[in-house]
Amino acid sequence: MATKGERTRESILNAAYALFAKKGFKQVTMKDVCEVTNMSRGGLYSHFSSTSQLFEALLERITEKDALDFQEQMKQGASAIAILEEALKLMEEEMKHPEDSLSIAMYEYAETVDSEVMERLNKASKKKWKQLIRYGIERGEFQNIDASEVVNVILYSYQGVRMWSRILPMKPKTMHSIVENIKRQLIGERK
């Protein structure tokens, strides 16, 4: 069972996510966080000393609780195609909701820190996707392709749409075509 402090921390992170998604990283202040959480400055600072520390905790939480963690499904012998389709469906849904995206905040944050933080997050995502692709190739469900190339297409098209959809209206058809293209690269044309 979570302690009161852990519940408070989670509540702060939830409120901060919405703030960063709406305003970006540079425009969010600790005062903003106090206002949306109804916390005193002292209460907030007992959990986080700055917006940078708060954003880093948010990125860590996202990485830890990533819904696209394929390891358990692969250990259970799930179909690589089923795992892929579930992941791409989730990604397509996320692309349709730019208002929930931290893409702009991540871009702004990356300008303020050593690139190691963002490189670590990117490396973790690449590793996870490569493992899924290799798993699918080994099982004969995916074509024998260069996993690194397809991972780059997956990650950067997804983040690109998340970023651009905050600036320009995107049609669901565009997002769907990206997902379908990724499927064709991995699975090939279905008969």
Side-chain angles (χ1 to χ4, degrees):
M1 181 171 208
T3 66
K4 182 180 181 205
E6 291 168 337
R7 288 191 304 271
T8 300
R9 185 176 168 86
E10 281 299 305
S11 176
I12 294 167
L13 290 171
N14 290 337
Y17 186 101
L19 272 175
F20 287 122
K22 182 178 181 182
K23 297 174 94 174
F25 175 74
K26 291 180 179 179
Q27 297 300 313
V28 173
T29 65
M30 292 299 272
K31 182 180 179 193
D32 295 331
V33 179
C34 286
E35 288 174 7
V36 298
T37 59
N38 293 317
M39 293 183 75
S40 68
R41 282 189 179 266
L44 177 60
Y45 280 92
S46 70
H47 293 279
F48 300 100
S49 63
S50 66
T51 53
S52 290
Q53 187 185 51
L54 177 56
F55 195 72
E56 287 168 17
L58 191 56
L59 291 176
E60 289 298 324
R61 182 178 83 165
I62 290 168
T63 303
E64 288 172 11
K65 294 184 175 182
D66 191 347
L68 298 177
D69 186 1
F70 314 127
Q71 286 298 321
E72 193 57 39
Q73 292 171 292
M74 290 187 300
K75 283 180 190 173
Q76 295 174 1
S79 160
I81 292 174
I83 296 169
L84 175 70
E85 288 181 339
E86 182 182 324
L88 292 176
K89 181 180 176 185
L90 178 62
M91 288 174 65
E92 186 174 354
E93 279 305 306
E94 288 178 355
M95 287 189 285
K96 290 177 184 175
H97 298 283
E99 69 280 0
D100 295 334
S101 172
L102 288 180
S103 293
I104 290 176
M106 288 172 71
Y107 177 78
E108 292 176 343
Y109 171 76
E111 292 178 325
T112 69
V113 296
D114 184 314
S115 63
E116 267 184 45
V117 174
M118 301 310 286
E119 287 174 16
R120 186 171 36 83
L121 292 171
N122 190 43
K123 194 175 191 176
S125 291
K126 283 184 172 190
K127 179 181 177 185
K128 174 179 53 181
W129 276 100
K130 282 180 186 177
Q131 288 172 338
L132 174 62
I133 292 169
R134 288 183 187 123
Y135 173 77
I137 292 169
E138 289 167 9
R139 291 173 56 97
E141 295 179 64
F142 293 167
Q143 299 185 90
N144 190 12
I145 47 89
D146 182 332
S148 294
E149 282 182 12
V150 177
V151 167
N152 286 336
V153 170
I154 292 168
L155 294 180
Y156 301 130
S157 59
Y158 167 71
Q159 281 302 334
V161 168
R162 296 283 281 169
M163 175 68 79
W164 278 100
S165 64
R166 293 290 307 266
I167 300 165
L168 301 169
M170 291 253 183
K171 294 180 180 173
K173 181 179 177 181
T174 301
M175 297 158 199
H176 186 70
S177 72
I178 290 168
V179 167
E180 289 302 312
N181 183 284
I182 292 166
K183 283 184 197 175
R184 278 192 305 278
Q185 287 185 53
L186 290 170
I187 303 169
E189 295 293 332
R190 292 192 182 181
K191 298 173 184 171

